[in-house]
Amino acid sequence: MNVLHLQVVYPLGAVLLAVFWIISFRLAHLLVLLLRREPVIGWAIGPLGVSFMVLHKPSVFFTWLNALVPALVSGSVLYIGFFTPLSPFIVPHHPLFIGLVVCCGVLVSSTSDVVLALRDLLYPLWGEARILRNIQILRSTWASIHFTPYGHSYVNDHFGSSPADLLKAF
């Protein structure tokens, strides 16, 4: 009988792998955001990590790039973390198991990105509507929202209030 055997050899390494996986995934999102070279209105820290608010509607190319690059990074980190000599685990190196682990990890990390990409393609928003939607979503997750200097001037010019007053309205 062939039994799946997963053994954690180095527990601290397993924790570090999980942390590195999450951080590299979020940094891939940041890299795509920086490649767009669009003004950042603000950023938020919440239970789901760090999020950035941008003003303009991204192109179809950047919408899919924002979903696919982090998925590729996620799959690469999982492959290296589970199936190379650097791995803190002893796992079977069967191709089906490798594919299952990498695909499940990518699904866990990137399903929401694909859903958001589809939402942006089907229901595109830009300008004030995009900012208000992002603020509403971030407030619903109890994220702490911070505006950049550009964001302060944008909120003042387009909404006639300070960011603090705008956030109180939500």
Side-chain angles (χ1 to χ4, degrees):
M1 180 161 79
N2 204 356
V3 177
L4 174 64
H5 182 71
L6 173 72
Q7 183 179 0
V8 179
V9 178
Y10 185 52
L12 181 60
V15 171
L16 290 175
L17 173 62
V19 169
F20 181 70
W21 179 43
I22 293 167
I23 290 173
S24 62
F25 179 77
R26 297 306 296 174
L27 286 176
H29 277 288
L30 182 61
L31 175 69
V32 173
L33 177 72
L34 292 174
L35 285 174
R36 284 174 37 187
R37 294 186 176 200
E38 293 185 11
V40 176
I41 298 294
W43 52 279
I45 300 174
L48 303 176
V50 178
S51 301
F52 295 92
M53 294 184 294
V54 293
L55 182 60
H56 302 290
K57 174 184 147 283
S59 66
V60 173
F61 174 74
F62 278 109
T63 298
W64 284 113
L65 197 65
N66 195 38
L68 297 177
V69 168
L72 181 66
V73 168
S74 177
S76 300
V77 169
L78 287 173
Y79 180 80
I80 291 168
F82 276 87
F83 304 106
T84 64
L86 300 173
S87 176
F89 306 102
I90 295 176
V91 294
H93 289 271
H94 189 273
L96 185 61
F97 183 71
I98 293 172
L100 183 68
V101 168
V102 172
C103 286
C104 286
V106 169
L107 281 174
V108 165
S109 63
S110 297
T111 300
S112 65
D113 291 338
V114 172
V115 169
L116 292 175
L118 290 172
R119 182 195 67 191
D120 278 347
L121 293 174
L122 295 174
Y123 307 106
L125 291 177
W126 56 91
E128 292 88 0
R130 186 173 187 87
I131 297 301
L132 292 174
R133 181 189 66 191
N134 287 342
I135 290 173
Q136 182 180 17
I137 291 169
L138 292 169
R139 294 295 282 191
S140 69
T141 62
W142 298 294
S144 174
I145 301 172
H146 308 279
F147 287 86
T148 62
Y150 176 76
H152 278 275
S153 65
Y154 181 84
V155 168
N156 190 25
D157 291 345
H158 288 84
F159 296 106
S161 68
S162 70
D165 292 338
L166 183 64
L167 292 176
K168 285 179 190 176
F170 284 93

